[in-house]
Amino acid sequence: MLGVIGYPLLNTVLLSLQDQGVVGSSSNYVGLDNYTQAFADGAFWASLGRSAIWLAGNLVVQTIIAFGTALLIGRSGRWARASRTWVLIPWVIPTVAVAVIWQWLSNSNYGIVPKLGAAVGIDGLGSPFGDSALAMPALILMNSWHWFPLGAVVIFGALRTIPAEIYEAARVDGADAWRIFWRITFPLLQPVLFALGLVGSLWSVNIVDSIYLVTKGGPADVTTTAPIFIYNKAFNQFQASDAAAVSVITIILLAAVAFFYIRVAKPKEDS
């Protein structure tokens, strides 16, 4: 842990106190100047706002899809049993392949989505990744499709641990499916949903590849989240120390969000 996490983190903090441009070049100590510039940079705060939208969108979409999928594959029957295997396909596809597939599907010249739109009377449907109003929702949908199987499998495993006798007793008492879900299934899954929410949130915020491969933060920076902003600072603008300072600030903010989430959303332990 010290070698994989501790040393890189310490090195990032030390780098943020220097004026290094290209990674590995000579530099001088400048103290907190990089942090002062970061706090005064409107583009950085805008990227944090986009990261919040990205986080909320992925959390909601992935949870809904994963929960629904887990309930479906938990049913009895041949198709439900078979789906427990092929539902993992989006998860095992490499991110590069996912990006290429979704770009092909939405391509305005030969993509199946525009062709289906034309078939139902919607002509001129272009790629959402090139539309400033649709790029972020499209990326959220693509990323959620890629990662929802992980949540579905975890929730499915948790559902299997709920004793069937509890459901039978509820049905005997006259509870319908909706009440059984909200009074039995959902409360018993709260520990699992809490863990998925925490890990999934931190994971989603730090995603770079899904966004960069498709839009590179565009169009017009509408998909430039904090990690993309940091990447551009370090490797496109050659401002390694500035990127390190922004990284440290982002780490502190994420730690604060995680602490707040744990305090608010952690399931209460029965006494």
Side-chain angles (χ1 to χ4, degrees), residues 53-77:
I53 296 173
W54 170 260
L55 167 61
N58 277 280
L59 192 61
V60 171
V61 175
Q62 287 187 44
T63 301
I64 292 175
I65 299 177
F67 216 119
T69 302
L71 292 175
L72 289 174
I73 65 178
R75 299 168 65 92
S76 59

Side-chain angles (χ1 to χ4, degrees), residues 9 52 63 99 216 220:
L9 182 59
T63 301
K216 292 183 171 58

Side-chain angles (χ1 to χ4, degrees), residues 15-224:
L15 179 61
S16 69
L17 302 176
Q18 304 171 38
D19 62 353
Q20 188 172 109
V22 178
V23 176
S25 63
S26 60
S27 59
N28 299 309
Y29 177 78
V30 295
L32 299 177
D33 288 354
N34 294 323
Y35 291 91
T36 302
Q37 295 177 14
F39 282 118
D41 191 347
F44 167 56
W45 293 109
S47 70
L48 286 178
R50 298 186 197 102
S51 288
I53 296 173
W54 170 260
L55 167 61
N58 277 280
L59 192 61
V60 171
V61 175
Q62 287 187 44
T63 301
I64 292 175
I65 299 177
F67 216 119
T69 302
L71 292 175
L72 289 174
I73 65 178
R75 299 168 65 92
S76 59
R78 182 180 63 182
W79 291 107
R81 289 192 298 270
S83 66
R84 295 169 193 171
T85 300
W86 57 256
V87 75
L88 293 175
I89 291 177
W91 186 29
V92 300
I93 297 176
T95 304
V96 173
V98 171
V100 172
I101 289 170
W102 278 70
Q103 285 178 306
W104 281 352
L105 290 173
S106 61
N107 188 278
S108 58
N109 294 321
Y110 51 79
I112 189 173
V113 174
K115 290 185 181 298
L116 289 175
V120 297
I122 305 176
D123 296 320
L125 187 64
S127 174
F129 299 116
D131 190 322
S132 59
L134 299 176
M136 181 64 81
L139 282 173
I140 289 173
L141 183 60
M142 182 193 78
N143 189 70
S144 298
W145 176 84
H146 185 29
W147 293 110
F148 88 89
L150 174 61
V153 170
V154 173
I155 295 173
F156 170 73
L159 286 171
R160 304 290 283 185
T161 65
I162 301 177
E165 293 79 6
I166 298 179
Y167 292 118
E168 294 175 1
R171 294 189 186 97
V172 170
D173 290 339
D176 56 17
W178 188 250
R179 182 164 296 184
I180 289 175
F181 175 79
W182 283 110
R183 296 296 181 87
I184 297 176
T185 305
F186 188 74
L188 292 178
L189 289 180
Q190 281 189 1
V192 173
L193 295 177
F194 166 77
L196 277 177
L198 178 60
V199 176
S201 298
L202 298 178
W203 196 346
S204 294
V205 170
N206 290 316
I207 285 178
V208 174
D209 48 3
S210 296
I211 301 175
Y212 198 83
L213 287 168
V214 179
T215 66
K216 292 183 171 58
D221 292 334
V222 296
T223 59
T224 300

Side-chain angles (χ1 to χ4, degrees), residues 226-250:
I228 299 296
F229 180 83
I230 294 169
Y231 181 90
N232 288 333
K233 276 281 186 184
F235 301 108
N236 291 334
Q237 302 174 17
F238 304 109
Q239 299 175 2
S241 292
D242 291 339
V246 174
S247 298
V248 173
I249 296 172
T250 305

